[in-house]
Amino acid sequence: MTVFKKILLPVDLAHEEQIDEQIKVAVAIANNEEAEIHMLYVDQSLIHRAGYPHLSKKNVTDHQGDAVKKIDVFLNKLPKNLKGDSLCREGTAHDQIVETAEELGVDAIILMAQKPGISSYFIGSNAERVVRHAHCSVFVIRED
């Protein structure tokens, strides 16, 4: 079995209940070896800034700080063989996931995906775009 040493977990803090499942998969693919877990939150609030003109840089910074604190709670639950860190980036989710994976040189990305709906036929999902463009293995966990 392939052992993955550097793993990226893009997290959606609107669905914190999914993060434990991502961690379970990370533990499984690390196969009890030492590994690095990089949890990434992508803040997309400035993408549509015209719709949110009241967002100041301080609001964004505070929001990102809160996101890192939430991620750190999950990182503290990691088994001893896994070292973790939290990352926060701005932009579109799929672009930031792929770019971060390349910059960190990760072996695998573990992300959640919802069942496809009509919107994904026209727009495409983040999971689909990550799978298509990532340089490494991608594990997609489908939510019920």
Side-chain angles (χ1 to χ4, degrees):
M1 177 173 160
T2 302
V3 176
F4 298 92
K5 297 285 190 181
K6 292 179 92 174
I7 304 167
L8 180 64
L9 274 64
V11 296
D12 182 351
L13 295 175
H15 298 282
E16 289 183 44
E17 70 281 357
Q18 298 174 341
I19 298 173
D20 286 330
E21 187 65 28
Q22 287 176 280
I23 291 172
K24 283 181 196 174
V25 174
V27 169
I29 69 171
N31 198 26
N32 293 319
E33 300 288 330
E34 289 187 10
E36 298 174 16
I37 304 296
H38 303 278
M39 287 191 174
L40 170 66
Y41 170 71
V42 179
D43 183 0
Q44 299 185 89
S45 57
L46 294 179
I47 294 173
H48 305 291
R49 189 170 191 141
Y52 301 100
H54 61 280
L55 281 179
S56 68
K57 188 63 177 167
K58 182 179 180 342
N59 293 127
V60 173
T61 302
D62 290 347
H63 172 70
Q64 292 174 356
D66 291 342
V68 168
K69 287 177 188 172
K70 287 181 179 182
I71 292 170
D72 288 343
V73 169
F74 288 96
L75 289 173
N76 289 329
K77 298 180 195 178
L78 290 176
K80 299 291 182 214
N81 62 309
L82 302 179
K83 295 184 291 185
D85 70 333
S86 53
L87 306 163
C88 188
R89 307 234 351 218
E90 294 176 14
T92 57
H94 55 88
D95 288 336
Q96 294 305 313
I97 293 166
V98 171
E99 286 177 25
T100 302
E102 288 177 11
E103 288 170 12
L104 296 174
V106 301
D107 306 312
I109 301 169
I110 301 170
L111 50 83
M112 300 296 295
Q114 297 176 344
K115 288 185 178 178
I118 191 69
S119 64
S120 66
Y121 287 106
F122 298 111
I123 301 168
S125 70
N126 283 318
E128 176 190 4
R129 291 176 180 171
V130 170
V131 167
R132 226 180 315 140
H133 298 287
H135 73 284
C136 60
S137 297
V138 179
F139 296 83
V140 179
I141 305 166
R142 187 176 299 269
E143 182 180 44
D144 291 335

